[in-house]
Amino acid sequence: MRKTAFVVLALALVGIVAAAGCISTETQSPAGDWYVPGTDITMTITPEGSVLGQAPQNSFFGSCTIDGDKIVFNIAATLMTDSEEERAFFAALNSVDSFKVENGKLVLMSEGKEVLTFAEALVGTFVTEDGITITFNKDMTFSANGPVNLFSGSYAYTENGIEFTAALSTMAFGSEEDMAAEAAFLAALAEAKTFSVENGKLTLGKLTLTASVVGNWMTVDGITLTLAEDGTFAGQAPVNNYFGEYEVKDGKVTFKNVASTKMMGAEEDMAAEDAFFKALAENTFAEGQFLTAEGITFIRT
């Protein structure tokens, strides 16, 4: 009886070990828009490893090499005035050799010690249940379209979340219902101190909003793209302006009827432009923090 029990226990232990071996250890990607809480430091890492950001005084850019949970940054920066805070930030960034992503945080480490912690930034366009559209930009400004008025302002990241300045507004008048919706939106925005984005939903204080692809995008090579609410798009390629229509369905963005002006430029620019137009017309882009397809990634501007 004891022998049988021992065999059963041994088999159970084997099963546990086998199950443990099936647990995924895949490292979550550091790609995304990030900020250092309590500072003005922001950083974007694209799925291909391009890096763009804003330090206390200077903009920075470059790339990072990622291998599992290992990461190495290769960064350059503008040459405006610096500070002790800025020098400390770049020294920490240059020392990084590994990372982890957990609970909406990007933790950068050097020799096993945490040196920089970023939180997920608020960037993108979102729509309220009342149809008010608000766009959050990388420079921590925002613009919003209500049923009657346009709004704009700025926000700052705090240690625990976010804080908005008083919004500027046009002074048009509409129906009592529309004016009440705008007033409630502005009041909720002013009171908001926390935010979270999950599965395309933004919870901003008392507000709940849905993500939208509408707004301004750009590749790391400088090609711009603006997606309008009416389903049209326009942008600037290396030489020509381009335009057309787009459709969003099941989390995918498809570009249709892509056309452009017919200017001529350097052979290298024209070749890059032709390849871009071909990829834009033939690929379906995944919707999210980035618009991505094979060989092309658009980031929010």
Side-chain angles (χ1 to χ4, degrees):
M1 186 71 176
R2 288 184 179 178
K3 184 175 181 180
T4 302
F6 177 78
V7 171
V8 171
L9 177 60
L11 289 173
L13 288 172
V14 169
I16 291 171
V17 172
C22 293
I23 295 174
S24 172
T25 58
E26 183 178 352
T27 303
Q28 189 173 343
S29 170
D33 294 302
W34 306 96
Y35 74 96
V36 177
T39 76
D40 294 330
I41 297 172
T42 62
M43 180 170 69
T44 297
I45 301 176
T46 72
E48 295 84 8
S50 295
V51 178
L52 301 168
Q54 179 63 52
Q57 277 78 40
N58 290 281
S59 299
F60 62 94
F61 45 89
S63 63
C64 61
T65 302
I66 303 167
D67 183 9
D69 65 348
K70 306 300 181 185
I71 187 169
V72 176
F73 288 89
N74 182 17
I75 297 297
T78 54
L79 298 175
M80 298 175 65
T81 57
D82 66 356
S83 64
E84 184 175 341
E85 180 187 12
E86 181 134 332
R87 289 191 293 271
F89 168 71
F90 284 123
L93 193 62
N94 287 328
S95 74
V96 168
D97 55 25
S98 62
F99 74 94
K100 59 183 177 181
V101 179
E102 56 184 14
N103 301 321
K105 305 282 187 181
L106 170 62
V107 181
L108 301 179
M109 295 174 287
S110 176
E111 298 181 349
K113 296 181 180 179
E114 297 181 6
V115 294
L116 287 169
T117 298
F118 289 81
E120 189 173 357
L122 180 55
V123 178
T125 299
F126 300 86
V127 183
T128 70
E129 295 174 352
D130 295 321
I132 297 174
T133 300
I134 183 168
T135 298
F136 300 96
N137 303 307
K138 289 184 186 293
D139 63 358
M140 289 178 282
T141 61
F142 71 86
S143 58
N145 295 342
V148 180
N149 287 286
L150 304 178
F151 310 101
S152 62
S154 62
Y155 56 98
Y157 296 117
T158 65
E159 287 289 348
N160 300 311
I162 198 167
E163 188 171 68
F164 288 86
T165 61
L168 300 176
S169 171
T170 55
M171 301 300 291
F173 287 91
S175 70
E176 184 175 344
E177 181 181 2
D178 287 343
M179 297 303 290
E182 289 188 349
F185 169 75
L186 290 176
L189 198 65
E191 294 173 0
K193 302 298 180 186
T194 60
F195 73 93
S196 64
V197 181
E198 187 173 355
N199 298 324
K201 296 289 185 181
L202 166 63
T203 302
L204 180 61
K206 298 177 181 178
L207 294 169
T208 300
L209 306 94
T210 302
S212 168
V213 298
V214 169
N216 298 317
W217 302 80
M218 183 181 70
T219 69
V220 293
D221 297 323
I223 296 175
T224 64
L225 170 68
T226 297
L227 302 180
E229 292 187 26
D230 63 0
T232 61
F233 70 85
Q236 176 64 56
V239 179
N240 287 283
N241 297 320
Y242 67 99
F243 44 88
E245 301 170 342
Y246 72 94
E247 180 181 35
V248 181
K249 185 177 181 180
D250 299 328
K252 304 290 184 181
V253 181
T254 303
F255 294 92
K256 304 180 294 183
N257 302 322
V258 179
S260 73
T261 54
K262 299 298 182 182
M263 297 175 63
M264 297 298 293
E267 184 176 347
E268 181 180 359
D269 288 340
M270 296 304 294
E273 189 168 274
D274 288 343
F276 169 75
F277 289 150
K278 186 174 186 292
L280 194 69
E282 294 181 355
N283 284 290
T284 297
F285 287 70
E287 175 192 1
Q289 266 187 309
F290 306 98
L291 292 181
T292 57
E294 185 175 355
I296 302 178
T297 295
F298 287 98
I299 62 176
R300 289 280 187 180
T301 61

